[in-house]
Amino acid sequence: MHEARMDWKSRIRELFTASAADVDEDVMEELSEHAAAAYERMLSDGSEATEAARHVAELVRSWAREAPNLRRRSNRPPAVEAPPVVPRRFAGFLNDVRYALRMLNRQRAFAVLSISTMSIGIGICTSLFSVVYGVFWKPLPWPEPDRIIRLTEIRQGATRPHPLQIDNAAYLAWQDDPTTIEKIGGFWTNTATVSGVGDASRIGIGHVTSSIFSIVRAKPLMGSLFTADEEDASGKVLLSYGFWHERFGGRSDALGRSIQIDGNAFTVIGVMPREFVFPDTSVRVWIPYHIRPVIAPDGRGTNSQIFNAIARLRPGVTPEQAASEATVRARSAPDGGLATLAFWGAEPKARIDISAAPALDALTSDLRPALIAVTAAVILLFLAVVGNVANLQLAHTVSRQREIAIRSSIGAGVQRIAQQLLIESVVLGLAGGVTGLFIAVGLHRALPSSLPSDFPRIDDVAFNLRVAVFCGVLTLVTGLLLGTLPALQVRRLNLVESLTEDQNGSIGGRKDGLPRARFAIMIGQIAIACILLVGALLLSRSLLVLMHADRGYDPANLATAIVSMPVASFSAQREIDILNRIVERVGAIPSVTHVAYTDGLPLSSNETLSAFKMPSNRPPVGAPMQVHSVRHVVSEDYFQTFGMRVLKGRAFSSADTASSQHVVVVNRAFATQYLSDSVIGDRIINFAGDFAQGEFQVVGVIDDVVEHQISEGIQPEIYSLQTQSIFRSQNPGIVIRTNGDSRAIVDSLRSIVKEQDPSLALYSVMTMEERLSSSLSKPRFYAVLLSTFAFSALLITGVGLFGVLSYTVSQRKREFALRSALGATPAELVRLVLTNALTIALCGLAAGTFVSFVLVKYLDTLLYGIKAHDWVSFAAVDIIIIIMSVLSCMGPAIRTLRIDPIRSLGGH
Amino acid sequence: MAHIASLLRELKRGSTEVLILSLLEERPRHGYEIGRLIDERSGGEINFHIASLYPTLYRLEENGFIEGRWVEKAGQRRKRYYRLTSAGKKTLAQQRTAWDTFFVALNRIAHIKHA
């Protein structure tokens, strides 16, 4: 049978060739099968062999005559496509693109893995670019913003720095006839309750000098701006465009209307244009801010103010030149006296320096170290992603060696094939880029809720054309870069080897069957994972230290809230009466163990700085000494409610009344700095001016309390009782300790507050733990971000290592089979794979550890309670990488045990 | 009789597709089997020239009405089997309807009966 088929096929081929017919091999085979079947049928019907052969030969001749009609077009694309006959440049490019798409459609697993890996890297990079551009590069929304500078006053020996702020002495000294600047302006912002038009709500208020508007070259949309003369007279307000539309419906009759800000009436004199922003988008209305002269007009007493300041440079002047002039002028300004001590914790005569920096730099300077770290992390992650895809590309190219060799053997030049591979890579990159763009859009939507609330210029982080172009350029560059390796690989292709090699690899070929390029890429990926893990571990451990740091009180089961009590609406006595009633009513709730109030909660921006002179309690006793501290006025149970530790003496008690001995409690820092060794019984006099006159006796010392960020250090503090000093705060804080979840009493608190006065508003209602957590939003954000990158890099590296080891095993199949046949045990085979894995891992670890050691010093400013060169973190990372490597090689190691020596060595 | 032979040739040419499609409707078959069955079931009346069978098969395959694939069974030669696609089924139904309509019309005029 076999001979008949072969014979007919030869006959058919001869006849078709003789008639110059071009018939597919497929058709020839089908016809020869038909011929053989017809021949056998005739034989089985009883025909003679010669007769049957003659009949079938006639049949074959008739086919040859009809050869042009014997064509079948296949639905499948050819395995190897012929190069274009007329190599028109653009037509060839389109063909290559079409071919690339078909190849990717056939190799879906490779395409999906490459595209998804690349899209993660491109998406994250694009998202980071939108943040970097919006925060650091996008110009501030004022004309010639690079000519606007922010000023910082630095006092020698200051224990309480005020970045980006100066005092009224330095400001006024520079205001008249400056030579390096056109104008200087002062401002500060807060939140206040706005009412009188629509529902009462808290909004951002900008307190600005009139010169601010000329510095930022702003003109009102309608109405007018403040003049310098109007700064001292309150009662005028400018509205933002958004606020005007929201509350006044965009109507022109808003001018002249009145609104209430914290109970004070203001008349609308103007509306700013839509694009006007100062200093940021949180501010919705502006009211005049008056900078008072240091020496009061009547010559008695001094005025001291601290605020933010900007100035516009004259043409050709540098910020350094302006700073020099400002410094000279500030040093000749009147002395602020004890106020200087209060504000800066520095001696009144301390040396002054004014620094000036471009406004954008000043705004973002404290973010720079973190952003540099995050940018480096993103770049490293991107390199890990690219490395992974490059490894996939190289493996993919190896698997196509035979196809490439065939194409080369039938006439495709190396350059042509390399171009094809490059185009395939670019097409792959484009697909990854488009998907990455969607990922970037998704990340952008999640940004506002993920970034810390005090992150500057969040509103300027936008997904726009510039970001999309960046994504496009990155995609193209990535695609070209990734295509370079396979293109280079093609140049080293050995045609004979590629056409004769089988799937089982060679014996005794390359030492480990792994191209150097893939080996190097794998080491690089492990090094990157190591670096990211070190950074993530350090930041995470630092965050843990911050979270569990002793702040001097117990934040558990502690509910807090701030009550808005504007001076214009609540007198001092009424404020105290209301707060006392609230304390009494809340204290009656069964789950409440302690309740108190204060003029300023920890971690809020409300605090009172104090500086005074008093007779010394330490030798020489009675000598005048200058004291600066933070002053608190609190209710009786304040220390018990907060769980603050009393180190000496006692806390306040019900025995401390308005008519009893006036007492204070101090913190350890105050006691150490200013009081005698015994402390208890020491006397402090006139420490709060009119608010706390006379002599106060120290009855207790509490342990230091962290009022703000831990990194800011401890200030000396004095606590006085509200019955013995004047309590005056527009935003007093209420604190409640419960014996269960403190959130359960929030509703009761709100109704109790409303019962006292319907106009009272509670805000910033949260547990102390939530308040603490919110204060750690930045370190938490960086720790979470870097941990995400590190985990992603670890996963990508693990998958990549798995792929590389699997490839190695497949390439060394014959070697493993031979070893097994010669008596190697399964453990020995597994050890070979493990050695491969650990060699790569250790090389990567060595490189990664070295680079980490050099780079971690840049994380110093972001760490707390932990050194950058922390050996525990480094050791933990080493262990994680080793475990990842062992896990990655388990699959390939198991494959070696399943190699059948007979099948693998068959044919040799 | 020459004109009858010419008439028969024309009729065979027009009916090739419906014959092949209907045989494949039963089950997949290879080319030789299709030719043989047409010959056997027609009682020898319809005897395709093999030169027209394979071009027709290839044309039907190109149009997507049938699909061919090589099948290799143990101990047998490799054969190319053809099967009817869903588009082919629709076309077969349409052709049957067309032939039926044709014969009804033919009968009305020329009194030619069919089963």
Side-chain angles (χ1 to χ4, degrees):
Chain A
M1 302 288 188
H2 183 75
E3 278 182 8
R5 182 174 76 85
M6 288 302 293
D7 190 44
W8 289 120
K9 194 165 183 183
S10 303
R11 291 290 300 279
I12 291 169
R13 196 192 303 282
E14 276 171 25
L15 279 167
F16 277 112
T17 305
S19 62
D22 179 20
V23 173
D24 289 343
E25 192 63 28
D26 236 18
V27 171
M28 251 192 267
E29 183 153 354
E30 189 171 14
L31 296 177
S32 70
E33 193 278 325
H34 187 120
Y39 177 79
E40 284 158 23
R41 183 65 188 269
M42 291 194 72
L43 287 181
S44 64
D45 286 346
S47 299
E48 291 289 328
T50 47
E51 176 59 28
R54 189 191 59 74
H55 175 84
V56 177
E58 182 51 41
L59 178 66
V60 171
R61 278 194 290 275
S62 72
W63 283 337
R65 286 194 290 274
E66 299 290 334
N69 294 324
L70 292 169
R71 289 195 168 278
R72 182 177 62 238
R73 278 190 220 163
S74 169
N75 287 334
R76 286 174 300 153
V80 176
E81 197 165 276
V85 174
V86 180
R88 284 180 301 157
R89 198 177 290 276
F90 194 65
F93 173 77
L94 283 178
N95 278 340
D96 288 344
V97 171
R98 274 189 228 113
Y99 183 75
L101 290 170
R102 280 203 299 272
M103 286 304 300
L104 292 176
N105 187 41
R106 262 193 239 153
Q107 308 271 349
R108 281 183 201 162
F110 159 74
V112 165
L113 198 56
S114 300
I115 290 170
S116 55
T117 309
M118 265 200 293
S119 64
I120 291 171
I122 291 173
I124 291 176
C125 276
T126 303
S127 202
L128 176 73
F129 175 79
S130 73
V131 172
V132 168
Y133 179 77
V135 174
F136 288 89
W137 294 343
K138 186 179 175 188
L140 291 167
W142 310 312
E144 295 178 283
D146 54 318
R147 302 303 295 164
I148 297 176
I149 53 173
R150 289 286 297 263
L151 306 164
T152 299
E153 183 172 340
I154 303 159
R155 293 278 181 144
Q156 193 178 35
T159 59
R160 195 177 297 135
H162 294 279
L164 302 180
Q165 292 187 323
I166 63 173
D167 67 2
N168 53 333
Y171 178 93
L172 292 168
W174 208 13
Q175 192 183 36
D176 296 327
D177 299 321
T179 56
T180 55
I181 59 171
E182 293 176 4
K183 273 218 166 101
I184 183 172
F187 68 94
W188 60 284
T189 63
N190 68 335
T191 55
T193 303
V194 168
S195 57
V197 53
D199 294 334
S201 59
R202 291 192 74 79
I203 63 168
I205 312 286
H207 305 251
V208 298
T209 59
S210 57
S211 53
I212 287 288
F213 300 106
S214 63
I215 290 171
V216 300
R217 310 263 201 264
K219 287 185 172 35
L221 179 68
M222 62 184 213
S224 60
L225 302 171
F226 318 128
T227 62
D229 297 332
E230 288 169 334
E231 283 177 9
D232 195 16
S234 66
K236 294 188 196 262
V237 64
L238 284 166
L239 307 181
S240 67
Y241 185 88
F243 187 86
W244 172 53
H245 257 276
E246 202 179 288
R247 299 303 180 104
F248 292 94
R251 298 188 303 274
S252 56
D253 65 357
L255 294 181
R257 292 273 298 273
S258 176
I259 65 173
Q260 307 272 320
I261 300 177
D262 271 350
N264 295 305
F266 288 83
T267 304
V268 178
I269 64 164
V271 176
M272 300 306 290
R274 184 201 295 264
E275 63 276 7
F276 179 74
V277 169
F278 188 85
D280 54 56
T281 52
S282 68
V283 170
R284 307 203 69 200
V285 302
W286 296 270
I287 59 178
Y289 181 47
H290 178 56
I291 310 292
R292 293 191 294 274
V294 177
I295 309 294
D298 58 6
R300 291 159 59 184
T302 56
N303 297 308
S304 279
Q305 296 163 276
I306 285 193
F307 46 88
N308 301 293
I310 61 171
R312 182 173 279 277
L313 295 170
R314 290 191 188 275
V317 173
T318 65
E320 291 72 28
Q321 289 168 328
S324 295
E325 184 191 17
T327 300
V328 165
R329 297 236 186 162
R331 286 178 183 171
S332 60
D335 178 6
L338 283 176
T340 304
L341 185 62
F343 281 138
W344 275 282
E347 292 297 321
K349 301 275 189 223
R351 185 184 132 114
I352 300 172
D353 285 290
I354 306 288
S355 72
L360 183 55
D361 292 352
L363 194 61
T364 56
S365 58
D366 63 342
L367 268 186
R368 273 180 203 280
L371 200 79
I372 289 171
V374 169
T375 303
V378 168
I379 290 172
L380 285 173
L381 181 65
F382 186 72
L383 287 174
V385 160
V386 166
N388 212 17
V389 178
N391 253 337
L392 285 170
Q393 290 266 50
L394 287 173
H396 184 56
T397 308
V398 166
S399 71
R400 292 171 66 189
Q401 272 188 60
R402 189 169 292 206
E403 172 216 330
I404 294 169
I406 291 171
R407 291 181 65 193
S408 185
S409 68
I410 61 174
V414 168
Q415 194 171 340
R416 184 75 186 80
I417 296 173
Q419 178 186 312
Q420 170 65 50
L421 293 173
L422 199 63
I423 289 173
E424 275 180 33
S425 187
V426 169
V427 166
L428 201 66
L430 281 172
V434 167
T435 326
L437 199 64
F438 283 108
I439 290 178
V441 169
L443 286 172
H444 174 73
R445 290 213 176 125
L447 269 175
S449 55
S450 313
L451 288 172
S453 55
D454 58 347
F455 208 80
R457 309 190 80 194
I458 280 186
D459 293 328
D460 287 313
V461 177
F463 199 93
N464 51 28
L465 182 63
R466 183 177 275 107
V467 174
V469 166
F470 170 84
C471 183
V473 169
L474 183 67
T475 300
L476 195 62
V477 167
T478 307
L480 286 170
L481 208 68
L482 285 171
T484 311
L485 278 172
L488 286 172
Q489 204 174 7
V490 160
R491 290 181 185 277
R492 290 200 292 265
L493 189 66
N494 185 315
L495 270 185
V496 173
E497 266 185 33
S498 303
L499 287 170
T500 55
E501 219 172 52
D502 64 12
Q503 297 300 314
N504 291 332
S506 56
I507 301 173
R510 274 194 222 95
K511 231 179 171 179
D512 57 1
L514 190 66
R516 281 204 192 103
R518 296 190 71 188
F519 191 78
I521 289 170
M522 211 55 246
I523 291 176
Q525 281 187 273
I526 291 178
I528 286 170
C530 176
I531 296 166
L532 289 174
L533 276 169
V534 166
L537 259 181
L538 286 173
L539 287 174
S540 300
R541 291 183 65 202
S542 171
L543 177 66
L544 282 174
V545 170
L546 281 169
M547 283 167 63
H548 295 108
D550 179 16
R551 291 174 179 268
Y553 54 87
D554 178 11
N557 296 333
L558 213 54
T560 64
I562 299 177
V563 189
S564 176
M565 302 181 91
V567 167
S569 307
F570 296 89
S571 65
Q573 188 57 53
R574 184 142 180 267
E575 187 176 9
I576 287 290
D577 290 342
I578 289 173
L579 288 170
N580 285 336
R581 279 203 299 274
I582 291 172
V583 164
E584 192 184 329
R585 290 285 310 280
V586 170
I589 299 173
S591 61
V592 173
T593 60
H594 295 90
V595 56
Y597 59 85
T598 171
D599 59 355
L601 280 173
L603 297 175
S604 71
S605 53
N606 303 315
E607 69 175 5
T608 308
L609 304 176
S610 172
F612 56 95
K613 286 182 184 164
M614 70 172 193
S616 173
N617 288 280
R618 55 171 65 161
V621 174
M625 73 184 310
Q626 287 184 332
V627 176
H628 73 89
S629 71
V630 177
R631 181 171 67 83
H632 301 279
V633 184
V634 300
S635 62
E636 184 185 314
D637 269 351
Y638 183 76
F639 301 117
Q640 294 89 327
T641 308
F642 255 109
M644 292 178 183
R645 295 182 291 272
V646 178
L647 300 177
K648 261 189 182 176
R650 63 174 179 85
F652 298 128
S653 70
S654 53
D656 301 315
T657 63
S659 54
S660 66
Q661 164 72 54
H662 286 191
V663 297
V664 290
V665 172
V666 300
N667 70 344
R668 180 174 23 191
F670 188 100
T672 306
Q673 201 164 335
Y674 298 117
L675 300 180
S676 67
D677 292 340
S678 59
V679 180
I680 306 301
D682 281 4
R683 294 178 188 278
I684 298 175
I685 297 170
N686 291 338
F687 69 90
D690 293 339
F691 289 85
Q693 286 185 323
E695 188 179 279
F696 288 75
Q697 188 179 61
V698 178
V699 296
V701 179
I702 59 158
D703 206 351
D704 291 331
V705 167
V706 178
E707 295 282 347
H708 303 288
Q709 299 293 340
I710 281 186
S711 52
E712 287 180 26
I714 301 292
Q715 298 290 323
E717 292 183 318
I718 298 179
Y719 297 82
S720 63
L721 200 50
Q722 55 85 11
T723 48
Q724 298 181 342
S725 51
I726 296 176
F727 184 98
R728 204 71 186 104
S729 170
Q730 296 205 93
N731 303 291
I734 296 176
V735 56
I736 306 164
R737 181 170 291 281
T738 59
N739 56 19
D741 184 0
S742 55
R743 279 174 290 208
I745 55 102
V746 167
D747 288 339
S748 304
L749 174 65
R750 284 191 197 278
S751 26
I752 290 170
V753 167
K754 276 289 180 206
E755 280 169 21
Q756 310 313 313
D757 188 320
S759 69
L760 277 174
L762 270 185
Y763 69 97
S764 188
V765 182
M766 58 179 82
T767 65
M768 201 62 207
E769 281 167 331
E770 286 167 348
R771 207 175 281 280
L772 270 173
S773 177
S774 176
S775 75
L776 296 174
S777 59
K778 264 195 195 139
R780 184 170 47 249
F781 173 70
Y782 298 136
V784 167
L785 195 66
L786 215 59
S787 297
T788 307
F789 290 162
F791 176 74
S792 303
L794 195 67
L795 193 64
I796 288 168
T797 303
V799 168
L801 188 60
F802 174 84
V804 160
L805 292 172
S806 297
Y807 171 82
T808 308
V809 166
S810 69
Q811 286 293 299
R812 297 170 72 186
K813 210 194 249 188
R814 191 162 285 146
E815 178 196 336
F816 286 124
L818 184 63
R819 285 177 187 268
S820 179
L822 291 176
T825 61
E828 284 166 347
L829 293 179
V830 168
R831 194 164 49 239
L832 281 173
V833 179
L834 199 59
T835 305
N836 210 351
L838 289 177
T839 305
I840 298 172
L842 289 173
C843 289
L845 264 180
T849 304
F850 174 75
V851 175
S852 300
F853 208 77
V854 170
L855 291 180
V856 284
K857 66 175 187 245
Y858 295 106
L859 285 182
D860 245 342
T861 54
L862 302 176
L863 298 176
Y864 177 83
I866 184 167
K867 288 193 173 18
H869 295 107
D870 174 57
W871 72 267
V872 171
S873 301
F874 276 84
V877 166
D878 290 349
I879 292 170
I880 292 170
I881 297 283
I882 301 284
I883 291 174
M884 181 272 296
S885 306
V886 169
L887 288 173
S888 298
C889 77
M890 276 175 66
I894 290 170
R895 272 184 65 188
T896 63
L897 303 178
R898 291 187 186 152
I899 292 174
D900 182 349
I902 296 169
R903 194 176 282 184
S904 300
L905 293 173
H908 287 259
Chain B
M1 293 302 282
H3 72 279
I4 298 297
S6 170
L7 172 67
L8 283 173
R9 268 200 303 278
E10 291 301 316
L11 288 174
K12 281 178 198 174
R13 195 173 293 137
S15 61
T16 313
E17 283 193 9
V18 71
L19 288 171
I20 292 172
L21 292 175
S22 59
L23 281 175
L24 292 178
E25 188 186 33
E26 293 169 16
R27 62 179 177 83
R29 303 181 193 280
H30 55 84
Y32 175 76
E33 189 185 1
I34 293 171
R36 187 175 56 77
L37 282 173
I38 291 175
D39 183 36
E40 281 176 11
R41 292 191 187 181
S42 67
E45 289 297 329
I46 302 175
N47 189 348
F48 279 109
H49 194 292
I50 296 303
S52 65
L53 171 64
Y54 282 99
T56 307
L57 281 173
Y58 299 155
R59 190 175 64 249
L60 287 171
E61 193 177 19
E62 194 180 318
N63 290 339
F65 298 148
I66 64 175
E67 191 180 32
R69 53 194 290 196
W70 287 100
V71 175
E72 188 163 1
K73 294 181 185 169
Q76 292 183 19
R77 287 189 297 270
R78 201 165 84 115
K79 292 177 187 170
R80 190 167 176 83
Y81 279 79
Y82 294 92
R83 67 167 193 89
L84 200 62
T85 64
S86 51
K89 284 178 189 163
K90 281 189 194 146
T91 297
L92 177 59
Q94 286 164 357
Q95 289 198 13
R96 280 185 172 137
T97 305
W99 277 104
D100 199 47
T101 307
F102 175 70
F103 276 116
V104 166
L106 211 58
N107 186 41
R108 283 202 197 113
I109 300 168
H111 307 292
I112 295 169
K113 291 185 187 143
H114 69 100

